[in-house]
Each structure stands twice: as structure tokens, then as C-alpha cells.
Amino acid sequence: MTRSPFDQANAGNPTRRKFLTATGMAAGLAFTGALPGIGTSNASTVEVNRLRDYPFALGIASGDPLPDAVVIWTRLAPKPLDPFGGMNDRPVAVVWQVAEDDRFRRIVRSGVEFARRESSHSVHVDVRGLRPWRHYYYRFIVGGHISPVGRTRTAPAPRQSVPGMAFAFASCQAWWEGFYTAYRDMARKEHDVVFHLGDYIYEYGVGADSGVRQQPVPVDFTRETMTLDEYRGRYALYKTDPDLQAAHAVAPWIVTVDDHEVENNWAGPISENNAPRNEFLVRMANAFRAWYEHMPVRIAQAPNGPGVQLYRRFQYGDLIRFNLLDTRQYRDDQAAGDGMKPPNPGSLDPNRTITGAAQEKWLLDGLAEKSARWEVLAHQTAIAQLDLQRGQGLLVPMDTWDGYDASRKRILGGARERGVRNLVSIAGDLHRSVASELRPDYADASSPVVGTEFVGTSISSGRDGMDHDADGLTILAENPHVKFHNFQRGYVRCEVNATQWVADYRVADRVTVPNGTVTSRSRLVVEDGNPAIHAT
């Protein structure tokens, strides 16, 4: 069973098996951060023969759109669950094309990249020289095989007037706990960009029967990921899902990392169960290397051993600026041993942080620029207070911003001091939908509402769920700033213009069967200049 912040941390404190890497070379590459395969290739070593099996079993993707650029991605893997995807050790020439039409009659950019074994035969192409705020189509060609066609879109020019846009955000997609019904719905709708806010994979084994999927997998997939090969295999398993592939193919994605891409509730160099630090750093390096190999991100997001640059900004003209945050790598350890606790000296310590000092300064300096009508914090978990104690007293999760009260006060108070016009937080992690009004200090009744938060539920983690569970009813009863709750699976679609932000909570009736349906559970509106939440 997957864990959300409302589950007791370290439940059972399982004994960690001895840390072993599947291959010494793979572990060494991950830890050093070396990226062989970036650059030119010796033509005599390049695989030019036609591949016998179809190599695009993991699909294609695009991401990190800029006004003049977008990253396009694929990974050659004719046998996705085999080591190295069933590829041999030779580099492979991959032709890529970007066109203005889906039949590729007007190709505007093209070239050749080399897929190499050291990078799991993944390909990242940072396509430059594109025009702002335009749709493009892309594909890859290897030998006699042509990939699916993907559609992407560049961002607007920095000062371009943007009358409106639509985007989606999602998180938490435990493969064995549900089908990706939400992604099937997402792929059918028009989105200018999609945000994935963490837990793209889970490090846990998928179980001997693969849970609701009932799909046979190699025995390695039933174990928790530790080695680079195991993390690579887990991404490959998830990416075989056709609905996930379809959602990647229709819009560019902007992605970050939460905890399960490495290990449940890790905090900086501190593991969930206090594994030896040097051992955990190797595991982090393995996890980040595999993440990079499977995500449509730039070389700037390639890991340097056990570290990766995740926080970055994306400007959508004069309408929205997205501040993509990293609340895992730089946070202090969870207070009071993690889990659900009353506010305590650790959680209230003014020196503790969830973002780290450098990222906090970067964020506050950026908020002062006031470059767009809507300023968005796109990140991992809830900023709003979430009290789960019925009646007197507080009981809050130590893994969310409730465990880092000083960070909440500095960021939300700082946004108000800097005159941010419309502050919106989008987040995931909770496996439930929660819409809240944001205050810098929930202990002070006079603390003003300075922003709005939309937390999206999981894609599949937690199985089907229900409209409200016991914790959800408590959240609604004890937190007057919470204006909406739901405990089903799904995602959030946002439609934004100069006068209002509409958050459409899309929920699946079931994810434990492959034929579930998705409908709109609630459409919530925030007006320009007023952070209060209203239902349409």
C-alpha cells in the first residue's frame, strides 16, 4: 500500500536489505554524474543496421517549453523490462524531426542524436529556433522504425499578451494500485502544458501479482528499488502504460521529484530509516540518474551524483509565471520523528526550512519582480494547515509545510510584502483533493488570506477511494480555510485568463478496473485580485 503524509511515518520500520548494486559500472556512472553519450560519436561504432524489434515501446515525450525551444525525448527499448531495454552495447543513430504539421510536410528542425547504452539508450534533444506559443509535431526514426507522433507547444514570448491558457497537473501514480484512467481523460483534452508534481514512480516492489494489474513481471520488480538498474526498470515498467504514453504525446510536460522517486519521506541526505549516509547518497545518485534518463528535461537537469537542479521557472507571457520548487533535497529532517504530530518545538523552529536558504531567496527575489498576473508555486505537498484532530488541539503532518511553519510564514508573508497580485499554489502528494485559502500564520486569527492552494489527488495511488473518507471529513470540519475535499483518484485541469482561474477537479469513478470513467467533481473559481474560492 502506498503512503501519503497522513500515514504514520516509518510504520513497522522494516529492516533494510543489504545495499548492493547490480553492476559496478552502473553505480559508478550514477554517482559521478558522468553523462557519456552527450556530444559527438565515432561513426565506426554507431549501430546502423535495422533493429529487428520495434524500439519505441516506452513512447515519446516533450517538456520544459521555452518561447523558442522544447525538449523532445525517447528511449530505445524493444524489450522494456529486460536489462538496458533489450539493447546491445553499441550506440544507435536516432533521426529526429520537428514539423509544423502532423504529416511532416513542413519540417522546421531535424537532426541526428546518438542513443548510448551508458544512458539506457535515451535521447534528449533540446530543439532550438522555434517560434513562441505555437504547436509543433515531432517524431523519431531508427532504421525502419518510426515512433508515434507527438504534439508539443512552445511558451509565449516573455512579455506577450496571453488572453488565456489551459494546463493540467497530476502526481502519485502507483502502477500496481490502479489503471491510469485519469491520463486517458487528460489525453483527450487540450492542454498547453502538463505539470507532474512528483511520485512518477514508487520505489516499492509491485508485488508478485502486480496488484490490480495482474500482469506478470520479472522477480526484480517485486523488490524495492536500490540499484541504478532497478530504478531504470521501474521507470520502464510505468512507461509501458498506454494512457501515460498518450498523455505525454499530446502536450509538453514540466516535471519535478517528490519522495518516491528515491524513497518514502526522504529529507536531503537523510533516508526514511536512517540508512548509512554514504549508502543513501549512492541510492540518491541511482534514482536521479534513472529519473533524468526517462524525463523530457534539459541537460541542466542532469544529475551531478546525488544532486539534481530541479527548481526553475517557466514564464507564460504576461498571464502566468510558474515557479517549480524542490521541497525534498534541501529540507531539514522531519520534526518529531515524522508522522502526524501536534505542533512542536521542531516544527515551530524559526531556523528550519523545507526549501533551503538558496531556493527560498531565489523564490522571494522572483516574486518581487511581479512579471505576470498570476504567480504560481508548483511543488510537491500542501502549504495550507491540515488539522486532523477532532475538537481541541492540533494534529498535523510533519512531512508537509505544517512541519516547517517558519518556511510557510517566510514565503507567504514574503509574497504579501512584495505585493504579489495573485498567488496560487498547486501541489500533490496527499492522495486527496484539497482546495484551501492560504494564510501565513494559521495560529493567528487576524492573519490575512494571501493566496489560494489547489492540491490534486493521486492518479492511482490509494486505489479507488471515495468522495470523503474519515480524514477528509475531519479536514473539512477542523480547517475553515479548506473549501473543498475529495478522496477519489484523478487530476486537476486549470483554465486561466486575466479575470479568473478555474480549477476543474477531474475524478475517476474507479481505477481498479481498466474501464473507469472520469467526470468533473467540482469547478472552483478564484477571481483576479481576490484569493477567495468559489464554486461555479
Side-chain angles (χ1 to χ4, degrees):
M1 188 70 177
T2 54
R3 298 176 188 168
S4 81
F6 298 102
D7 300 315
Q8 191 69 22
N10 298 321
N13 194 22
T15 301
R16 201 172 282 278
R17 68 185 179 87
K18 185 177 180 182
F19 181 85
L20 295 172
T21 55
T23 65
M25 181 190 75
L29 285 170
F31 196 79
T32 62
L35 284 166
I38 302 298
T40 60
S41 174
N42 182 340
S44 66
T45 67
V46 174
E47 176 64 70
V48 294
N49 295 328
R50 298 168 70 91
L51 298 177
R52 181 173 57 184
D53 298 318
Y54 183 70
F56 300 110
L58 301 182
I60 46 86
S62 69
D64 279 15
L66 301 176
D68 64 344
V70 71
V71 176
I72 59 175
W73 170 94
T74 194
R75 179 190 161 197
L76 308 183
K79 298 178 180 179
L81 304 190
D82 285 2
F84 293 101
M87 297 289 290
N88 61 33
D89 60 357
R90 288 172 290 183
V92 178
V94 180
V95 175
W96 59 270
Q97 298 173 330
V98 175
E100 293 179 339
D101 66 301
D102 60 1
R103 296 189 177 184
F104 290 81
R105 292 171 177 169
R106 300 188 301 277
I107 295 174
V108 296
R109 292 290 183 272
S110 62
V112 177
E113 290 289 326
F114 297 100
R116 302 171 185 271
R117 185 170 190 175
E118 295 90 337
S119 298
S120 283
H121 288 94
S122 62
V123 174
H124 299 73
V125 184
D126 192 353
V127 184
R128 297 280 172 166
L130 303 177
R131 297 169 64 183
W133 207 218
R134 287 182 62 91
H135 283 110
Y136 289 95
Y137 299 85
Y138 63 97
R139 67 184 179 185
F140 301 90
I141 303 171
V142 175
H145 302 289
I146 301 177
S147 77
V149 174
R151 186 180 71 165
T152 190
R153 191 174 195 183
T154 52
R159 293 179 175 82
Q160 183 174 343
S161 177
V162 178
M165 67 175 292
F167 71 93
F169 66 92
S171 63
C172 305
Q173 52 195 48
W175 179 84
W176 74 97
E177 288 206 327
F179 292 89
Y180 291 166
T181 309
Y183 283 136
R184 186 172 68 240
D185 183 76
M186 186 187 294
R188 293 171 177 168
K189 296 188 176 296
E190 291 283 337
H191 294 109
D192 298 309
V193 66
V194 173
F195 287 82
H196 197 283
L197 302 177
D199 296 347
Y200 193 99
I201 66 164
Y202 280 72
E203 80 281 19
Y204 305 137
V206 302
D209 61 355
S210 298
V212 303
R213 301 268 182 160
Q214 295 292 297
Q215 176 179 321
V217 295
V219 66
D220 288 353
F221 290 81
T222 67
R223 298 194 297 259
E224 185 170 340
T225 51
M226 293 284 183
T227 71
L228 177 54
D229 289 343
E230 288 169 344
Y231 280 106
R232 284 168 165 169
R234 207 56 50 88
Y235 279 100
L237 177 65
Y238 279 53
K239 280 183 167 287
T240 59
D241 185 275
D243 294 322
L244 177 58
Q245 289 188 18
H248 270 296
V250 297
W253 282 38
I254 296 172
V255 296
T256 187
V257 164
D258 194 17
D259 55 336
H260 289 289
E261 285 88 351
V262 181
E263 178 198 50
N264 181 62
N265 282 17
W266 62 282
I270 302 170
S271 77
E272 177 186 15
N273 296 320
N274 295 312
R277 183 165 297 203
N278 288 342
E279 177 182 298
F280 187 61
L281 290 176
V282 174
R283 185 178 184 182
M284 289 173 65
N286 292 336
F288 291 149
R289 179 61 180 266
W291 174 82
Y292 173 76
E293 290 174 350
H294 291 85
M295 292 296 119
V297 293
R298 290 189 167 79
I299 190 67
Q301 277 61 61
N304 179 16
V308 60
Q309 179 63 48
L310 293 172
Y311 65 85
R312 51 205 194 274
R313 287 194 179 94
F314 296 89
Q315 184 86 30
Y316 275 73
D318 63 353
L319 186 65
I320 303 181
R321 183 164 67 171
F322 296 96
N323 302 274
L324 190 68
L325 305 185
D326 175 0
T327 62
R328 283 288 161 194
Q329 285 192 88
Y330 315 112
R331 66 161 64 194
D332 290 305
D333 196 10
Q334 290 90 348
D338 207 350
M340 301 294 301
K341 302 289 172 59
N344 54 75
S347 68
L348 301 176
D349 185 340
N351 297 313
R352 279 169 42 83
T353 178
I354 196 172
T355 62
Q359 183 179 193
E360 181 179 294
K361 183 179 186 302
W362 168 86
L363 177 57
L364 291 174
D365 287 349
L367 294 180
E369 295 171 1
K370 293 181 284 190
S371 65
R373 185 174 296 266
W374 301 89
E375 195 80 47
V376 179
L377 311 181
H379 59 117
Q380 290 75 12
T381 193
I383 296 178
Q385 179 175 284
L386 298 174
D387 176 22
L388 272 86
Q389 176 67 55
R390 282 279 186 174
Q392 296 297 313
L394 294 175
L395 191 66
V396 294
M398 293 295 100
D399 192 58
T400 73
W401 289 62
D402 272 325
Y404 303 83
D405 187 67
S407 279
R408 177 163 59 201
K409 289 177 179 176
R410 289 192 297 266
I411 297 301
L412 297 185
R416 183 169 186 262
E417 292 167 1
R418 286 157 179 78
V420 174
R421 179 168 179 162
N422 297 296
L423 182 70
V424 179
S425 163
I426 60 173
D429 184 49
L430 303 185
H431 304 175
R432 62 182 69 242
S433 300
V434 183
S436 309
E437 294 169 350
L438 294 176
R439 301 175 185 270
D441 188 353
Y442 287 98
D444 180 359
S446 66
S447 185
V449 176
V450 300
T452 312
E453 179 163 74
F454 299 109
V455 174
T457 187
S458 58
I459 290 289
S460 58
S461 304
R463 302 199 176 198
D464 290 332
M466 61 199 75
D467 195 44
H468 297 294
D469 64 342
D471 282 345
L473 293 173
T474 301
I475 289 172
L476 287 171
E478 299 298 326
N479 301 273
H481 52 278
V482 173
K483 305 303 179 181
F484 170 75
H485 170 272
N486 175 266
F487 191 51
Q488 293 169 280
R489 311 283 75 84
Y491 72 100
V492 184
R493 169 181 166 83
C494 298
E495 302 166 8
V496 186
N497 59 36
T499 62
Q500 67 177 14
W501 178 302
V502 179
D504 184 2
Y505 277 89
R506 307 284 297 170
V507 302
D509 61 341
R510 294 178 297 172
V511 296
T512 52
V513 295
N515 59 348
T517 60
V518 176
T519 57
S520 178
R521 172 60 179 78
S522 185
R523 286 172 59 88
L524 305 177
V525 178
V526 175
E527 303 291 344
D528 174 37
N530 179 6
I533 299 171
H534 306 281
T536 60

